[in-house]
């Protein structure tokens, strides 16, 4: 099987943690490194969480810390969903893994520079690190096979009527990223809301009974309790792992090639991803927007990957 060489840029985060579980142990994926930014919590906390996860999953990859704030906006974390730590629900063993000395942006640039084969960027947080890479080294964009991002929504948002969290964290960065000439796959709320990690799914993964399924189950129970409080949902949408699952099995998603722009107007639609699925405006199609997902395939991918940690 030809592997995707990927860099995962994230802000763990309960669903980021599951994305890392998939990226860290699958024949289709060669994980080159993990980069972190502020998002679900402050950078200090998301960095701590990432190091804990990488150590717990026994992954031999660098963890590089990136930006601690958006380009223009102030930091706004998602504490009500992910808790005070950003990853409430699990007590990890003492942390020995240390962050790599390189800044996330430098690490991504260096990896692209040295790449003999194209690199896939997977992002499950705000787009600030990636925007800086694109601004600093536009010449390296040709080294990117594709950028698969969790973010945005054709329909309604989850932090305003119009905007999804990762995009609203840094709409200006998202604007830069969506203007780059890269094959881009947008995994937005339209599909992630179709894969809710309902209690019966959590129970199903519990029967796997290894140390990673244990982590999954404990994290998801806290995630679901918070989703119930905030959104009244018995099972939260498991957003971030849809990106990696798509790389594992590209038939997972239905994609529509469309023009997609970011609202940076600072009005009520600030941070909205305007996806012109019906090509009303005839603008250049710049993004493959996920418009459908096969839920059965998705949960099977989660299950088989968790079992690989036996
Ligand atoms: C996105 O926001 C974060 O809270 C999640 O980790 C996910 O990346 C969903 O809107
Ligand atoms: Ca995330």
């Amino acid at each position: 099987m030809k592997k995707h060489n990927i860099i995962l840029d994230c802000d763990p985060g309960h669903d980021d943690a599951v994305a890392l579980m998939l990226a860290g142990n699958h024949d289709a994926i060669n994980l080159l490194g993990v980069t972190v930014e502020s998002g679900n919590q402050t950078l200090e906390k998301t960095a701590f969480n990432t190091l804990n996860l990488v150590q717990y999953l026994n992954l031999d990859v660098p963890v590089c810390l990136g930006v601690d704030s958006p380009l223009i906006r102030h930091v706004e974390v998602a504490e009500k969903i992910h808790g005070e730590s950003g990853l409430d629900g699990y007590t990890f063993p003492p942390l020995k893994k240390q962050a790599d000395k390189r800044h996330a942006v430098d690490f991504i640039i260096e990896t692209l520079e040295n790449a003999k084969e194209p690199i896939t960027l997977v992002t499950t947080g705000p787009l600030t690190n990636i925007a800086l890479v694109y601004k600093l080294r536009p010449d390296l964009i040709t080294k990117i096979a594709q950028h698969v991002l969790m973010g945005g929504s054709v329909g309604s948002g989850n932090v305003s009527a119009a905007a999804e969290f990762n995009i609203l964290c840094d709409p200006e960065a998202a604007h830069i990223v969506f203007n780059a000439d890269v094959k881009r796959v947008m995994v937005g709320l339209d599909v992630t809301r179709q894969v809710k990690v309902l209690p019966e799914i959590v129970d199903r993964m519990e029967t796997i009974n290894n140390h990673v399924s244990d982590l999954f189950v404990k994290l998801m129970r806290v995630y679901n309790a918070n989703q119930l409080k905030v959104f009244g949902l018995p099972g939260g949408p498991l957003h971030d792992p849809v990106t990696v699952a798509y790389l594992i099995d590209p038939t997972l998603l239905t994609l529509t090639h469309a023009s997609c722009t970011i609202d940076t107007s600072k009005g009520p639609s600030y941070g909205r991803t305007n996806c012109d699925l019906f090509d009303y405006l005839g603008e250049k199609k710049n993004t493959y927007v996920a418009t459908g997902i096969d839920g059965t395939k998705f949960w099977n991918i989660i299950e088989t990957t968790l079992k690989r940690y036996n």
Side-chain angles (χ1 to χ4, degrees):
M1 182 186 280
K2 192 158 172 8
K3 291 190 179 226
H4 298 276
N5 295 311
I6 78 163
I7 297 172
L8 176 64
D9 186 74
C10 59
D11 63 334
H14 292 74
D15 50 338
D16 302 80
V18 183
L20 191 55
M21 291 173 197
L22 294 191
N25 193 350
H26 201 283
D27 289 338
I29 308 288
N30 179 25
L31 180 63
L32 302 173
V34 183
T35 56
V36 193
E37 71 271 287
S38 62
N40 283 322
Q41 260 298 352
T42 61
L43 177 64
E44 194 188 346
K45 292 180 181 179
T46 56
F48 182 70
N49 296 340
T50 307
L51 289 166
N52 268 324
L53 288 165
V54 167
Q55 175 177 287
Y56 189 83
L57 298 175
N58 204 16
L59 308 180
D60 186 16
V61 294
V63 172
C64 300
L65 311 193
V67 292
D68 64 0
S69 58
L71 295 181
I72 295 174
R73 298 199 76 195
H74 54 277
V75 180
E76 249 179 65
V77 300
E79 188 152 323
K80 285 189 182 150
I81 297 293
H82 300 276
E84 197 187 336
S85 70
L87 194 59
D88 281 12
Y90 206 76
T91 309
F92 289 96
L95 180 61
K96 296 199 186 82
K97 173 108 183 157
Q98 292 189 345
D100 192 280
K101 297 267 179 294
R102 290 165 289 183
H103 190 281
V105 172
D106 292 329
F107 171 77
I108 298 170
I109 288 175
E110 189 184 308
T111 307
L112 291 171
E113 271 176 340
N114 297 334
K116 302 223 160 28
E117 291 188 27
I119 306 285
T120 293
L121 301 179
V122 178
T123 60
T124 60
L127 291 165
T128 324
N129 284 336
I130 306 301
L132 290 171
V133 170
Y134 289 178
K135 273 288 171 197
L136 284 166
R137 292 298 302 273
D139 57 306
L140 291 175
I141 282 175
T142 53
K143 296 268 198 124
I144 300 169
Q146 58 179 322
H147 174 198
V148 184
L149 69 109
M150 192 282 130
S153 180
V154 177
S156 59
N158 61 355
V159 278
S160 75
E164 180 279 331
F165 178 80
N166 287 338
I167 303 294
L168 188 59
C169 276
D170 196 342
E172 287 71 26
H175 172 78
I176 292 168
V177 167
F178 275 74
N179 274 299
D181 193 11
V182 170
K183 178 184 174 194
R184 196 170 16 263
V185 177
M186 182 184 118
V187 176
L189 300 176
D190 317 285
V191 289
T192 66
R193 281 180 172 138
Q194 295 179 48
V195 283
K196 296 194 176 71
V197 61
L198 294 165
E200 51 266 36
I201 304 259
V202 181
D203 294 345
R204 172 176 156 195
M205 302 306 162
E206 191 170 30
T207 64
I208 297 170
N209 200 21
N210 65 28
H211 72 295
V212 180
S213 66
D214 183 49
L215 172 63
F216 177 92
V217 167
K218 290 190 172 129
L219 290 180
M220 290 305 109
R221 291 205 167 125
V222 170
Y223 185 61
N224 280 347
N226 292 341
Q227 291 277 350
L228 188 62
K229 271 187 237 156
V230 176
F231 293 111
L233 295 172
L238 198 54
H239 311 283
D240 291 340
V242 175
T243 54
V244 185
Y246 162 71
L247 291 173
I248 290 170
D249 181 355
T251 67
L252 177 71
L253 298 176
T254 307
L255 302 176
T256 305
H257 201 199
S259 155
C260 192
T261 56
I262 309 295
D263 189 316
T264 53
S265 67
K266 309 225 172 41
S269 295
Y270 188 36
R272 180 177 174 79
T273 44
N274 286 311
C275 300
D276 190 3
L277 296 187
F278 299 102
D279 199 19
Y280 293 118
L281 301 174
E283 302 284 352
K284 186 176 175 217
K285 297 179 179 181
N286 62 350
T287 303
Y288 291 88
V289 180
T291 48
I293 184 166
D294 184 328
T296 305
K297 276 187 187 164
F298 177 71
W299 296 117
N300 286 343
I301 290 170
I302 299 281
E303 186 176 39
T304 50
T305 313
L306 291 183
K307 280 184 180 163
R308 290 168 64 100
Y309 285 95
N310 277 336

